[in-house]
Amino acid sequence: MEMPRRMLRRQAAHNLDQRLGAAQVHGQPPALMLQFDGVASTLLLAEPFWAGLERAVPGELVVGVPARDVVIVTGSQSPPGLAKVRRAIDRVFFAGDPHLLSRKLLVRRRGVWEVFTSNLAHAAF
């Protein structure tokens, strides 16, 4: 493509933002499932998308992204939601999805994703 890395990243972010209308949120609290054309994990990079979901969960946004096409969302102050996300991650890994990513939960703080570590998360599991 002979495009500078910075320009490529900017174009990729623009393309993602243009397609956000295709993102779907399924389920009911305490945990929601995201669907986005088989690459739901890319939604982690879509800043505008998360602003709308922040009000839908108690506490900070917490996600499980066990596979490329699986994103489960809950709130940091929802023990049942955290437990449900952990069970879903375990099921995806047990099933052996061909595009596994991580067993760790992520929390969104000040617009940045961090690894979620909380006694609440472990108590719920």
Side-chain angles (χ1 to χ4, degrees), residues 58-85:
E60 298 171 301
L61 279 166
V62 175
V63 298
V65 190
R68 175 177 77 183
D69 58 340
V70 180
V71 177
I72 310 112
V73 181
T74 192
S76 61
Q77 295 177 4
S78 174
L82 292 167
K84 192 170 187 177
V85 171

Side-chain angles (χ1 to χ4, degrees), residues 16-26 33-37 39-40 42-43 46 49 53:
L16 177 60
D17 288 347
Q18 293 298 308
R19 296 198 20 89
L20 285 180
Q24 298 176 9
V25 180
H26 298 282
M33 180 79 80
L34 303 183
Q35 186 176 0
F36 188 60
D37 296 332
V39 287
T42 62
L43 291 171
F49 180 78
L53 279 180

Side-chain angles (χ1 to χ4, degrees), residues 100-119:
L100 293 174
L101 295 177
S102 177
R103 288 182 181 269
K104 295 181 180 181
L105 299 182
L106 301 174
V107 61
R108 188 163 177 82
R109 294 190 175 125
R110 297 170 301 282
V112 177
W113 292 106
E114 303 173 4
V115 174
F116 180 68
T117 55
S118 167
N119 291 336

